[in-house]
Amino acid sequence: MNLRQLEAFRATMRSGSITEAARMMNISQPSVSRLISDLEHSIGFELFLRSGRGLAPTIDANTFYHGVEGMFAGMGRLRELAETIRTTNEGVISIAAIQSIGLLELPRAVSSLYKRHKDIRFMIQLRNTPAILDAVQMKQFDLGIVGRQPDYEGVETLFKTKVRYVCLMPEDHDLVGQSGSVDLESLVDIEEFVTFGGTFPDEMMAMDPALSQKMQKRSRISATNLPVAAAMVRETGVLAIIDPFSAEQAVLMGGVVFRPIKQKLHYHISVITPGREYLSRPALELADIIIKKISTRVTEVSEMSE
């Protein structure tokens, strides 16, 4: 039994003849007859009594027809629902992102959707992870991109990954011409490092506490955010340990490069939402694009670190 057979049966019941059913379906009379014959074979009972050139539905056909009409009525409602979903692209997609993703990867993702959907407006804000979590929990944003290791309460995690931190350095630093990964243990006594708020995010980076303490003692510059840290690296010659997304932003500004780190210090990224059921089709599409772009970048950095 298939939909085309049911359409032929329904058209014949409604019109009362094979000829008219063929006209309604825009196919030949033999095609309608074959579809009905195949349907009868499939369901195991006759639908029409043939006498001369006419047709008369059987009792079983009348009973079966009520079920078929109910199915088509349901399909009609599904079409209406699909049309509603298809045409409700208008509106706003709201995204809150951490700065490391919000300045490059997010604009790249939004760009592809922006060009294809003229009726969508985008509201984008850069916040820190705690503020994003709070806002998404309160359904103030459709999507949130955060930089803390899950699990999170009160939100649905669409995607989570981690990527190795890198070492940002001036482009004329002696380390630039060397091969392999940068070993922080071998540098901690000879290099200075930028810290963030006077410390390193030990929990997020899983840095050895003893190494962290040594690096903090070797630091005379504390930055409030990654762009400031990158600027300090560029102008003073000190090093910084940052995520590869922010490192890419710094490289685009010029004067700095980055290299992989021997120590496995991981930066966590997740895409969250109040719940899939709250997201429009375009918002889900944007989430998929963001996830693919982040995943591609993580793979590139992972291959560089190997």
Side-chain angles (χ1 to χ4, degrees):
M1 185 192 315
N2 59 47
L3 183 60
R4 198 61 172 162
Q5 293 168 358
L6 295 174
E7 287 177 340
F9 167 66
R10 181 173 181 245
T12 303
M13 289 291 290
R14 284 186 160 192
S15 65
S17 74
I18 294 289
T19 301
E20 188 63 21
R23 188 191 65 78
M24 291 169 61
M25 296 180 67
N26 198 28
I27 59 176
S28 66
Q29 296 180 39
S31 295
V32 175
S33 297
R34 184 171 60 254
L35 287 168
I36 291 176
S37 177
D38 290 344
L39 178 59
E40 289 176 327
H41 179 76
S42 175
I43 60 180
F45 55 84
E46 284 188 321
L47 294 170
F48 298 99
L49 299 176
R50 295 161 180 82
S51 57
R53 300 180 63 181
L55 287 179
T58 64
I59 295 175
D60 289 337
N62 285 315
T63 302
F64 189 61
Y65 175 68
H66 291 299
V68 170
E69 278 294 350
M71 185 202 74
F72 276 94
M75 289 181 62
R77 288 191 291 271
L78 285 176
R79 289 192 187 96
E80 292 174 359
L81 176 60
E83 179 66 14
T84 299
I85 294 172
R86 186 185 68 79
T87 56
T88 52
N89 290 343
E90 296 185 2
V92 177
I93 300 177
S94 55
I95 314 107
I98 49 177
Q99 183 171 282
S100 58
I101 303 298
L103 295 182
L104 278 183
E105 301 303 330
L106 181 57
R108 290 166 177 167
V110 168
S111 175
S112 61
L113 204 66
Y114 179 86
K115 294 174 181 178
R116 288 187 286 110
H117 295 277
K118 304 297 184 182
D119 52 356
I120 298 177
R121 292 181 294 126
F122 298 86
M123 184 183 75
I124 300 168
Q125 292 190 22
L126 298 186
R127 298 186 179 185
N128 60 31
T129 289
I132 295 172
L133 284 171
D134 289 343
V136 173
Q137 287 171 355
M138 292 186 289
K139 302 181 178 63
Q140 294 176 356
F141 290 94
D142 298 312
L143 298 170
I145 307 173
V146 296
R148 181 191 296 174
Q149 186 173 3
D151 291 330
Y152 314 119
E153 294 183 0
V155 299
E156 179 179 351
T157 302
L158 299 177
F159 170 79
K160 60 182 178 181
T161 189
K162 60 183 180 181
V163 63
R164 298 272 286 273
Y165 276 84
V166 297
C167 182
L168 190 70
M169 60 191 69
E171 59 184 7
D172 59 354
H173 196 282
D174 291 340
L175 290 171
V176 174
Q178 300 180 17
S179 61
S181 299
V182 173
D183 185 356
L184 297 179
E185 292 285 0
S186 66
L187 298 178
V188 69
D189 293 325
I190 58 175
E191 296 285 350
E192 294 184 0
F193 295 86
V194 177
T195 58
F196 299 94
T199 184
F200 290 100
D202 297 341
E203 179 180 353
M204 183 166 58
M205 294 172 59
M207 182 182 289
D208 178 73
L211 175 60
S212 177
Q213 289 297 320
K214 289 181 181 179
M215 292 174 67
Q216 289 176 50
K217 290 179 180 179
R218 294 286 299 174
S219 174
R220 292 189 296 139
I221 300 175
S222 176
T224 56
N225 56 47
L226 292 167
V228 173
M232 292 297 101
V233 171
R234 184 182 301 109
E235 299 300 330
T236 66
V238 299
L239 307 182
I241 309 305
I242 67 175
D243 67 272
F245 300 96
S246 299
E248 183 181 6
Q249 297 167 24
V251 169
L252 289 175
M253 294 177 64
V256 295
V257 297
F258 64 91
R259 288 184 53 197
I261 295 174
K262 179 180 179 180
Q263 284 73 19
K264 295 182 179 180
L265 310 178
H266 287 116
Y267 182 68
H268 294 269
I269 304 170
S270 295
V271 179
I272 60 175
T273 177
R276 289 177 185 268
E277 65 273 21
Y278 297 105
L279 298 182
S280 65
R281 185 169 57 88
L284 284 169
E285 184 179 355
L286 178 60
D288 287 339
I289 296 171
I290 292 170
I291 290 168
K292 288 177 182 176
K293 289 193 175 296
I294 293 175
S295 298
T296 297
R297 186 62 179 148
V298 168
T299 298
E300 291 171 353
V301 174
S302 298
E303 291 174 350
M304 182 183 69
S305 301
E306 292 176 354

